[in-house]
Amino acid sequence: MKKSVYSLVLMDDVIKAVDEQAYRMGTSRSNLINQILAEHLSCVTPEMRMREIFEQVAELVSSSFRIQEQRSPSLMTVRTALEYKYRPTINYKVELERSPKEYIGTLRVNIRTQSAALITMFHSFFAYRAKLEAGYLSRLGIESYSCEIGDGSFARKLINSGTLSVEQAGEAIGEYIKDLDHAVKTYFADPNNFTVNAPVLEKKYRALLERYII
C-alpha cells in the first residue's frame, strides 16, 4: 500500500500511550497509528491481512504444535519435538511479505541439536523433500519453487498462486506445515525403511497440491 507523510496534532498523553503500546507490539508509532485508524475506518492493512493469515494457521496447528509469541506482525513460529532420543526440537518459522507478489512469504525450518548424525539425517530428508516438491510443482507448470538447505535448516519460498483468499492462504500454510511435519517425523522414526513409507507421504502431498498451490 502506498504511504505518504502527513502532519497531525495530537495530545502528548495520546502519543505517550501510543509509544508505549507500539513498544510492546514491536512496531513504530506511525505504523500503530495507521493500524488503529485503518481498523476504525474498516480499511485493510498489511498487518491486518497477516494477522488474519496467522490466526488461521494457529487454528489449524495449535493442537499439535506450540506457538511461540512473536513481536513482529509478519512472523510466526511454531515448534514441536521429535520422538527421538533427547527429543530434539524442530521450529517452523513463517515470515510473510507485506506486499505479496510472486511469493506469500518464506517458511524456515530448523532442528535444534548438536548431533552431527541428526543434522545429516535432517539434510537427507529435506534434499528428498525439495526434489519431490519441485518435481510436482513443475508438473503443474510452476517453475518458481525456491529453497535452500543450510546447517540444520531448510528454507523455501511460499508461492503466491494468486487464487487464494486471505483465509485460504492461512489454511494452505497451516496444512503445508502439518504435512511437512508428519513427513519429517515419519522419516526420523525409521530412516532405514523410509522408502516403504514414502509413497503414502507423496500421495498426501499430491492431495494437498490439489487443494492449494503454495
Side-chain angles (χ1 to χ4, degrees), residues 85-200:
K85 55 185 177 181
Y86 312 123
R87 292 182 61 82
T89 299
I90 290 189
N91 293 331
Y92 297 86
K93 178 181 288 187
V94 179
E95 183 173 6
L96 297 176
E97 299 287 343
R98 286 180 57 85
S99 301
K101 295 179 182 178
E102 187 174 11
Y103 301 107
I104 297 173
T106 304
L107 172 68
R108 294 182 173 85
V109 187
N110 66 75
I111 184 169
R112 300 186 63 182
T113 180
Q114 299 297 319
S115 169
L118 278 180
I119 292 175
T120 298
M121 290 170 61
F122 182 93
H123 290 172
S124 296
F125 169 79
F126 278 102
Y128 148 80
R129 179 74 184 203
K131 183 177 180 180
L132 172 75
E133 293 184 354
Y136 277 117
L137 287 168
S138 180
R139 294 180 195 179
L140 296 174
I142 298 172
E143 304 295 342
S144 55
Y145 182 79
S146 174
C147 74
E148 181 178 344
I149 300 174
D151 186 17
S153 67
F154 169 77
R156 65 151 294 193
K157 297 292 187 180
L158 300 172
I159 296 166
N160 181 16
S161 64
T163 62
L164 300 179
S165 66
V166 172
E167 182 179 356
Q168 288 172 329
E171 290 177 358
I173 294 171
E175 294 292 355
Y176 175 77
I177 290 174
K178 288 167 60 179
D179 179 76
L180 181 60
D181 185 65
H182 175 66
V184 170
K185 289 177 176 176
T186 300
Y187 175 79
F188 274 86
D190 192 1
N192 294 326
N193 294 313
F194 183 67
T195 53
V196 176
N197 298 312
V200 175

Side-chain angles (χ1 to χ4, degrees), residues 7-79:
S7 295
L8 296 174
V9 179
L10 301 173
M11 293 171 55
D12 290 343
D13 288 346
V14 171
I15 288 297
K16 181 180 178 182
V18 167
D19 286 346
E20 289 174 351
Q21 181 66 13
Y23 176 78
R24 288 193 291 269
M25 295 174 61
T27 189
S28 66
R29 173 194 294 173
S30 296
N31 195 46
L32 179 57
I33 291 174
N34 190 68
Q35 290 183 54
I36 292 170
L37 291 175
E39 290 179 7
H40 183 74
L41 298 172
S42 299
C43 297
V44 178
T45 66
E47 288 76 17
M48 293 167 67
R49 178 186 59 83
M50 291 187 288
R51 183 170 65 241
E52 188 174 341
I53 289 174
F54 284 147
E55 286 174 353
Q56 191 63 40
V57 174
E59 184 176 331
L60 287 169
V61 306
S62 59
S63 61
S64 306
F65 298 82
R66 187 169 64 184
I67 300 174
Q68 184 176 334
E69 184 176 351
Q70 300 282 172
R71 293 189 64 184
S72 170
S74 64
L75 290 175
M76 180 178 190
T77 301
V78 300
R79 59 178 51 176

